[in-house]
Amino acid sequence: MTTAQEAPLIWRVDRGVGVLTLNRPARLNAFDAAMAAAWTDACRILVADPDVRAIVLRGEGRAFCAGGDLAALGAAGPADIEALAGVINEGITTLVTSTVPVIAAAHGTTAGGGLGILLASDYAVVGADSRIGCLYADMGLTPDLSVTASLARAVGERRALQLVLTSTLLTAEEAVAWGLVAEVAPPEAVGARAEQVARAIADGAADAYGQAKRLVRSQPGRTFQDQLAEEARTIAAASATPDAQARMQAFLQRSTR
């Protein structure tokens, strides 16, 4: 196992699973400049590591992420805020465009830009007591950190507008019903369940999972015909790998018994 630790963010790699922990619990894991830089560096390192086959995003303390640190934003000028968002966006882009499946362990509150961090995951586990929303307009701010780029794809345009135009905080059950998250776990078990999902991916056909993620995430950049061609190219390449050959043979043996 390898580890690296640097407040305000902690990350580690254990048997193919990278775990990235937002570590500003006193500020509900809200981003300031130091955490933004550490976030993007950790995302790049984990995605570039050939041994990392799945990544878990989690937060320390009683919340997953409250977005940007209002105390830091209040003392910053527009140029500084734009630059800060740009740094965090680099980390989000690194995760979303990678072939590494990302699982979020989003316990407690997820709000503002924290919703964008949640949307950077491909599978999200939340606590039974979790609350999820935007809350930007309450502070006279507009959505950032990929919220307008990803939210409508996740829940549909009308529901996305309900979140960005109101102070609605979804319950865990509502978030599942909307398709925003995958499942609900007891609050104390969110992290363990997310790591269990990540472990199943890392120990399974991780390359195929990663390519499936890439196909879904990158689809908006292609026409329908181009997407079909990319699917055909990808499955052909996957079928030639030793892992796929072994798994297909094992499946055939089981099905003929």
PDB file of all heavy atoms in Angstrom, residues 75-93:
ATOM      1  N   ALA A  75     -13.281  37.462   0.608  1.00  0.00           N
ATOM      2  CA  ALA A  75     -12.063  38.278   0.646  1.00  0.00           C
ATOM      3  C   ALA A  75     -11.353  38.334  -0.694  1.00  0.00           C
ATOM      4  O   ALA A  75     -10.315  38.989  -0.822  1.00  0.00           O
ATOM      5  CB  ALA A  75     -11.111  37.710   1.704  1.00  0.00           C
ATOM      6  N   ALA A  76     -11.900  37.642  -1.700  1.00  0.00           N
ATOM      7  CA  ALA A  76     -11.245  37.560  -3.010  1.00  0.00           C
ATOM      8  C   ALA A  76     -11.959  38.436  -4.020  1.00  0.00           C
ATOM      9  O   ALA A  76     -13.154  38.728  -3.895  1.00  0.00           O
ATOM     10  CB  ALA A  76     -11.231  36.111  -3.494  1.00  0.00           C
ATOM     11  N   GLY A  77     -11.236  38.836  -5.031  1.00  0.00           N
ATOM     12  CA  GLY A  77     -11.826  39.578  -6.131  1.00  0.00           C
ATOM     13  C   GLY A  77     -12.317  38.639  -7.213  1.00  0.00           C
ATOM     14  O   GLY A  77     -12.035  37.438  -7.188  1.00  0.00           O
ATOM     15  N   PRO A  78     -13.069  39.174  -8.204  1.00  0.00           N
ATOM     16  CA  PRO A  78     -13.598  38.329  -9.275  1.00  0.00           C
ATOM     17  C   PRO A  78     -12.530  37.511  -9.993  1.00  0.00           C
ATOM     18  O   PRO A  78     -12.753  36.332 -10.293  1.00  0.00           O
ATOM     19  CB  PRO A  78     -14.255  39.342 -10.219  1.00  0.00           C
ATOM     20  CG  PRO A  78     -14.638  40.478  -9.324  1.00  0.00           C
ATOM     21  CD  PRO A  78     -13.536  40.568  -8.309  1.00  0.00           C
ATOM     22  N   ALA A  79     -11.378  38.104 -10.256  1.00  0.00           N
ATOM     23  CA  ALA A  79     -10.322  37.374 -10.958  1.00  0.00           C
ATOM     24  C   ALA A  79      -9.819  36.210 -10.128  1.00  0.00           C
ATOM     25  O   ALA A  79      -9.526  35.122 -10.655  1.00  0.00           O
ATOM     26  CB  ALA A  79      -9.169  38.316 -11.313  1.00  0.00           C
ATOM     27  N   ASP A  80      -9.710  36.419  -8.814  1.00  0.00           N
ATOM     28  CA  ASP A  80      -9.255  35.342  -7.931  1.00  0.00           C
ATOM     29  C   ASP A  80     -10.268  34.206  -7.882  1.00  0.00           C
ATOM     30  O   ASP A  80      -9.901  33.025  -7.859  1.00  0.00           O
ATOM     31  CB  ASP A  80      -9.018  35.876  -6.520  1.00  0.00           C
ATOM     32  CG  ASP A  80      -7.899  36.902  -6.461  1.00  0.00           C
ATOM     33  OD1 ASP A  80      -6.913  36.734  -7.205  1.00  0.00           O
ATOM     34  OD2 ASP A  80      -8.028  37.866  -5.693  1.00  0.00           O
ATOM     35  N   ILE A  81     -11.554  34.551  -7.836  1.00  0.00           N
ATOM     36  CA  ILE A  81     -12.600  33.527  -7.794  1.00  0.00           C
ATOM     37  C   ILE A  81     -12.608  32.718  -9.084  1.00  0.00           C
ATOM     38  O   ILE A  81     -12.722  31.482  -9.066  1.00  0.00           O
ATOM     39  CB  ILE A  81     -13.975  34.175  -7.543  1.00  0.00           C
ATOM     40  CG1 ILE A  81     -14.003  34.789  -6.135  1.00  0.00           C
ATOM     41  CG2 ILE A  81     -15.099  33.171  -7.732  1.00  0.00           C
ATOM     42  CD1 ILE A  81     -15.249  35.589  -5.839  1.00  0.00           C
ATOM     43  N   GLU A  82     -12.459  33.399 -10.211  1.00  0.00           N
ATOM     44  CA  GLU A  82     -12.413  32.692 -11.492  1.00  0.00           C
ATOM     45  C   GLU A  82     -11.211  31.748 -11.551  1.00  0.00           C
ATOM     46  O   GLU A  82     -11.317  30.616 -12.026  1.00  0.00           O
ATOM     47  CB  GLU A  82     -12.369  33.679 -12.651  1.00  0.00           C
ATOM     48  CG  GLU A  82     -12.425  33.018 -14.011  1.00  0.00           C
ATOM     49  CD  GLU A  82     -12.532  34.009 -15.154  1.00  0.00           C
ATOM     50  OE1 GLU A  82     -12.637  35.225 -14.877  1.00  0.00           O
ATOM     51  OE2 GLU A  82     -12.528  33.564 -16.316  1.00  0.00           O
ATOM     52  N   ALA A  83     -10.076  32.222 -11.055  1.00  0.00           N
ATOM     53  CA  ALA A  83      -8.872  31.390 -11.058  1.00  0.00           C
ATOM     54  C   ALA A  83      -9.029  30.179 -10.143  1.00  0.00           C
ATOM     55  O   ALA A  83      -8.615  29.063 -10.478  1.00  0.00           O
ATOM     56  CB  ALA A  83      -7.665  32.220 -10.635  1.00  0.00           C
ATOM     57  N   LEU A  84      -9.645  30.391  -8.973  1.00  0.00           N
ATOM     58  CA  LEU A  84      -9.866  29.290  -8.042  1.00  0.00           C
ATOM     59  C   LEU A  84     -10.772  28.232  -8.661  1.00  0.00           C
ATOM     60  O   LEU A  84     -10.478  27.026  -8.595  1.00  0.00           O
ATOM     61  CB  LEU A  84     -10.507  29.815  -6.753  1.00  0.00           C
ATOM     62  CG  LEU A  84     -10.882  28.769  -5.699  1.00  0.00           C
ATOM     63  CD1 LEU A  84      -9.642  28.075  -5.155  1.00  0.00           C
ATOM     64  CD2 LEU A  84     -11.670  29.417  -4.561  1.00  0.00           C
ATOM     65  N   ALA A  85     -11.868  28.666  -9.284  1.00  0.00           N
ATOM     66  CA  ALA A  85     -12.759  27.724  -9.952  1.00  0.00           C
ATOM     67  C   ALA A  85     -12.024  26.979 -11.054  1.00  0.00           C
ATOM     68  O   ALA A  85     -12.224  25.765 -11.251  1.00  0.00           O
ATOM     69  CB  ALA A  85     -13.978  28.447 -10.518  1.00  0.00           C
ATOM     70  N   GLY A  86     -11.154  27.677 -11.755  1.00  0.00           N
ATOM     71  CA  GLY A  86     -10.400  27.035 -12.829  1.00  0.00           C
ATOM     72  C   GLY A  86      -9.510  25.912 -12.331  1.00  0.00           C
ATOM     73  O   GLY A  86      -9.401  24.859 -12.967  1.00  0.00           O
ATOM     74  N   VAL A  87      -8.887  26.127 -11.183  1.00  0.00           N
ATOM     75  CA  VAL A  87      -8.024  25.078 -10.615  1.00  0.00           C
ATOM     76  C   VAL A  87      -8.851  23.858 -10.231  1.00  0.00           C
ATOM     77  O   VAL A  87      -8.486  22.717 -10.545  1.00  0.00           O
ATOM     78  CB  VAL A  87      -7.266  25.626  -9.388  1.00  0.00           C
ATOM     79  CG1 VAL A  87      -6.509  24.501  -8.679  1.00  0.00           C
ATOM     80  CG2 VAL A  87      -6.292  26.717  -9.807  1.00  0.00           C
ATOM     81  N   ILE A  88      -9.969  24.076  -9.544  1.00  0.00           N
ATOM     82  CA  ILE A  88     -10.823  22.948  -9.154  1.00  0.00           C
ATOM     83  C   ILE A  88     -11.367  22.241 -10.391  1.00  0.00           C
ATOM     84  O   ILE A  88     -11.452  21.009 -10.435  1.00  0.00           O
ATOM     85  CB  ILE A  88     -11.979  23.430  -8.257  1.00  0.00           C
ATOM     86  CG1 ILE A  88     -11.438  24.149  -7.023  1.00  0.00           C
ATOM     87  CG2 ILE A  88     -12.863  22.249  -7.830  1.00  0.00           C
ATOM     88  CD1 ILE A  88     -12.488  24.899  -6.226  1.00  0.00           C
ATOM     89  N   ASN A  89     -11.722  23.015 -11.400  1.00  0.00           N
ATOM     90  CA  ASN A  89     -12.245  22.436 -12.640  1.00  0.00           C
ATOM     91  C   ASN A  89     -11.243  21.501 -13.304  1.00  0.00           C
ATOM     92  O   ASN A  89     -11.631  20.519 -13.947  1.00  0.00           O
ATOM     93  CB  ASN A  89     -12.641  23.535 -13.618  1.00  0.00           C
ATOM     94  CG  ASN A  89     -13.907  24.267 -13.202  1.00  0.00           C
ATOM     95  OD1 ASN A  89     -14.675  23.773 -12.387  1.00  0.00           O
ATOM     96  ND2 ASN A  89     -14.112  25.456 -13.751  1.00  0.00           N
ATOM     97  N   GLU A  90      -9.962  21.801 -13.160  1.00  0.00           N
ATOM     98  CA  GLU A  90      -8.950  20.917 -13.751  1.00  0.00           C
ATOM     99  C   GLU A  90      -9.031  19.531 -13.127  1.00  0.00           C
ATOM    100  O   GLU A  90      -8.913  18.515 -13.819  1.00  0.00           O
ATOM    101  CB  GLU A  90      -7.558  21.508 -13.558  1.00  0.00           C
ATOM    102  CG  GLU A  90      -7.275  22.734 -14.407  1.00  0.00           C
ATOM    103  CD  GLU A  90      -5.861  23.260 -14.184  1.00  0.00           C
ATOM    104  OE1 GLU A  90      -4.974  22.446 -13.847  1.00  0.00           O
ATOM    105  OE2 GLU A  90      -5.658  24.471 -14.344  1.00  0.00           O
ATOM    106  N   GLY A  91      -9.223  19.478 -11.813  1.00  0.00           N
ATOM    107  CA  GLY A  91      -9.365  18.190 -11.147  1.00  0.00           C
ATOM    108  C   GLY A  91     -10.633  17.472 -11.569  1.00  0.00           C
ATOM    109  O   GLY A  91     -10.619  16.259 -11.820  1.00  0.00           O
ATOM    110  N   ILE A  92     -11.735  18.210 -11.656  1.00  0.00           N
ATOM    111  CA  ILE A  92     -12.995  17.614 -12.102  1.00  0.00           C
ATOM    112  C   ILE A  92     -12.845  17.041 -13.499  1.00  0.00           C
ATOM    113  O   ILE A  92     -13.248  15.900 -13.784  1.00  0.00           O
ATOM    114  CB  ILE A  92     -14.126  18.661 -12.061  1.00  0.00           C
ATOM    115  CG1 ILE A  92     -14.459  19.037 -10.614  1.00  0.00           C
ATOM    116  CG2 ILE A  92     -15.376  18.145 -12.775  1.00  0.00           C
ATOM    117  CD1 ILE A  92     -15.426  20.194 -10.482  1.00  0.00           C
ATOM    118  N   THR A  93     -12.261  17.819 -14.398  1.00  0.00           N
ATOM    119  CA  THR A  93     -12.070  17.370 -15.776  1.00  0.00           C
ATOM    120  C   THR A  93     -11.186  16.132 -15.837  1.00  0.00           C
ATOM    121  O   THR A  93     -11.449  15.200 -16.609  1.00  0.00           O
ATOM    122  CB  THR A  93     -11.458  18.496 -16.622  1.00  0.00           C
ATOM    123  OG1 THR A  93     -12.328  19.634 -16.583  1.00  0.00           O
ATOM    124  CG2 THR A  93     -11.261  18.059 -18.064  1.00  0.00           C
TER     125      THR A  93
END
